[in-house]
Structure formats: C-alpha cells, structure tokens
Amino acid sequence: FDLKETDAAITISRGNVPVLVYQKAEDPAPEGADPAFRRSAFIHPLHTPAGAILTDIRPSDHLHHMGLWHAWVHCIFKGRETDFWNLKAKTGTVRFVKTLSTDKAADHAAFTVQQDHVAIDQDGSETVVLREEFAIRATFKNSANVIEYTMKQKNVSDAPLELTAYRYGGGVALRGSRNWDKTNSDYLTSEGKTRVDSHESRAKWGTMWGPVEKGLASVAILGHPSNHDAPQRLRTWRPKDHNGAIFFNFVPIQETAWAIQPGQEITLRYQVLTFDRRTDAADIDERWKEFAK
C-alpha cells in the first residue's frame, strides 16, 4: 500500500493501482452552473482492485452527487432550515479543513481529516455546526479492497442540530458509475431485496454491480450494528428513477427524527468493499459478520 498527499488530494494505492482519491481541494461548480455547487471533502474516484472506476460525480440530474460522500439533509438549526447536502439551497455545505494524520504500511494505508459542516445564513454569514473527524483505512482481503469509513461528528455550536425524518441523507452515500442503469446493473441487500423493493427497507448491507471496461464490478457497503437506528434504512433508486442509475444511501433518520445537542459527539461506521466481479450474498454476509465484531 502507498499513500500520497498533495494540496489537492490524498490518494491511496495498492501497488501501482489506485484504491481511492479523497478530494481536499474545492471542486468548482460545472461551467454554467450555480457557483454554490462547489464542494470539497468527498471520495472520487473509487476503484476496484484492478483499477476500474465505480463512482461518478456531478451527473446532470444531480450536480451535488459527489462519488462517495455524506451530509445531513433538511435540518433545523436555530429555527432555520439548513441543508448540508443540497448545495443549491445555499443554507449549508461540508468542507475539508485539514489533515489530522496519515499512516501507511505494507498491508494498509489510512488517513484522518477534519471536515466542517457549515450552516450558511441568509446574509451569507457562516457557523460551523459539526466538526468532524473523518477516518479512512484501506486494506485488501480475499480479492476485495476493504475500506473502513468512519465519521465522528461533534456539535461545536451553541444550539441543537435537529435532524428531521427524511428519505435520504446523513449516512454514507454512493453515486455509481455513469454507465450503470436499469438495463445492466442492480442492487442486492442483506434481506434479499433489489432495485425494485429495497428503498425504505432496513439492511445490514447492500451491494451494487454493473459493467466496467472488462467484465462486471461490484461495490458493497456495510453498516455497523453500533450505528444509530441500525440496521439503518436505505435510499435506493427504482427502475423508474433516473433511468435506474445507481444511488445508494444508508439513512439514520429516514423513519424517526434525531438531534445532535451542543457538545454531543456521534459516530457512524461503515465498510466499503470493491470487487472485480459480481458479489454474492454469502460472501458479503461473512464479511459483515467479521466487520460487526
């Protein structure tokens, strides 16, 4: 494993093949789009062990979708709706602040960064609501890249962050390859559900697959049983949604509202696995059991 850091990004590789790239620098809005769509603090590209790319950013239907990322949606902060996910609303955003640590050895590479979740008032003034330690640790096991994805968020403001019940947001989210649609890709969850019926279901894990340059590739996302509201509900897209593009999100607040009080710290843990093949339920189940320990 290797880890290289520049002013713009942190790249983890295994041998000469990239595993993932974390974007430190602010990615500007696409040409002609609202400048509010600028964003840092996300992972793209996410690769398979052979190097195939599994993620997409800024697809035309959702310019705020940023590969592999997370943010809270439709919150209430000091009586005002604050949305860290939908950037066009101009009420919130998430930003990379600084690198806290990096580590690499023959069998792993890891980093921890500070990310700030920032509320934006009507006059443009800003308040850091959540200060986050976001940690990534990559290893390789049984033909898969294994990525520990841990977010530790502390409310550093003087007011609660009220997380209203909503169909998406909060937990880890993935926008799949731009080539994946309802004709060539699908989901499978720990409960045996697919793109037809997985939305709003609870699951310990979800896996997605589709074509890459050479054959099929998959990405699985596992939720830890210690997470709030575990096993968490899912946001997935049905065949009629955006031509069946792949979008996956673990949602801690889909059914019930939550709040992060001033000074309170929460932790959410996930594991992201990438494969150069289509996965099967038995394999992911065994990996989830090990992760859950």
Side-chain angles (χ1 to χ4, degrees), residues 37-287:
F37 282 110
R38 59 188 180 274
R39 178 69 146 82
S40 62
F42 61 93
I43 290 172
H44 175 77
L46 175 71
H47 295 267
T48 70
I53 295 175
L54 295 166
T55 49
D56 187 21
I57 63 169
R58 303 200 185 284
S60 59
D61 56 14
H62 288 76
L63 292 179
H64 54 277
H65 279 193
M66 305 302 292
L68 185 70
W69 84 110
H70 58 273
W72 296 104
V73 182
H74 293 303
C75 313
I76 303 296
F77 180 67
K78 294 188 175 180
R80 182 167 184 261
E81 184 169 316
T82 302
D83 192 328
F84 304 97
W85 177 295
N86 291 291
L87 303 174
K88 192 174 183 179
K90 302 177 185 178
T91 61
T93 191
V94 182
R95 295 185 184 129
F96 165 81
V97 178
K98 61 183 178 181
T99 302
L100 300 176
S101 66
T102 61
D103 176 40
K104 65 178 180 179
D107 63 347
H108 74 274
F111 63 85
T112 302
V113 296
Q114 179 184 320
Q115 299 184 161
D116 282 354
H117 299 239
V118 181
I120 305 171
D121 212 335
Q122 290 174 311
D123 63 1
S125 60
E126 298 184 348
T127 302
V128 176
V129 182
L130 299 178
R131 183 148 288 157
E132 176 181 6
E133 290 186 7
F134 174 50
I136 289 289
R137 187 177 191 274
T139 57
F140 182 79
K141 186 171 184 178
N142 296 340
S143 77
N145 288 335
V146 180
I147 300 155
E148 306 286 344
Y149 188 108
T150 305
M151 55 184 88
K152 186 182 293 184
Q153 300 174 347
K154 184 176 182 178
N155 186 342
V156 295
S157 77
D158 60 359
L161 181 65
E162 301 174 42
L163 310 173
T164 60
Y166 201 67
R167 67 181 180 272
Y168 63 87
V172 61
L174 178 136
R175 181 64 189 255
S177 168
R178 195 165 296 195
N179 299 323
W180 295 3
D181 60 33
K182 62 185 177 183
T183 69
N184 62 15
S185 64
D186 208 343
Y187 310 84
L188 178 67
T189 77
S190 58
E191 312 313 301
K193 297 184 181 296
T194 68
R195 67 168 8 107
V196 174
D197 56 359
S198 56
H199 175 55
E200 295 186 337
S201 67
R202 291 187 183 274
K204 299 188 292 289
W205 53 261
T207 184
M208 300 134 272
W209 63 86
V212 292
E213 187 175 347
K214 297 180 180 179
L216 287 175
S218 305
V219 53
I221 304 182
L222 288 53
H224 198 271
S226 66
N227 288 345
H228 178 77
D229 200 39
Q232 292 171 341
R233 291 189 180 273
L234 305 180
R235 169 62 169 158
T236 57
W237 282 351
R238 295 157 292 189
K240 66 179 183 179
D241 299 329
H242 310 287
N243 198 37
I246 290 290
F247 170 72
F248 181 94
N249 181 207
F250 269 116
V251 191
I253 41 75
Q254 192 174 86
E255 184 175 8
T256 306
W258 193 22
I260 307 175
Q261 301 297 329
Q264 182 182 0
E265 186 174 82
I266 67 163
T267 299
L268 296 172
R269 293 181 59 196
Y270 302 95
Q271 192 177 86
V272 181
L273 309 166
T274 69
F275 303 83
D276 289 296
R277 56 178 172 81
R278 178 172 169 174
T279 50
D280 63 82
D283 181 23
I284 306 301
D285 260 334
E286 288 304 309
R287 293 176 188 265

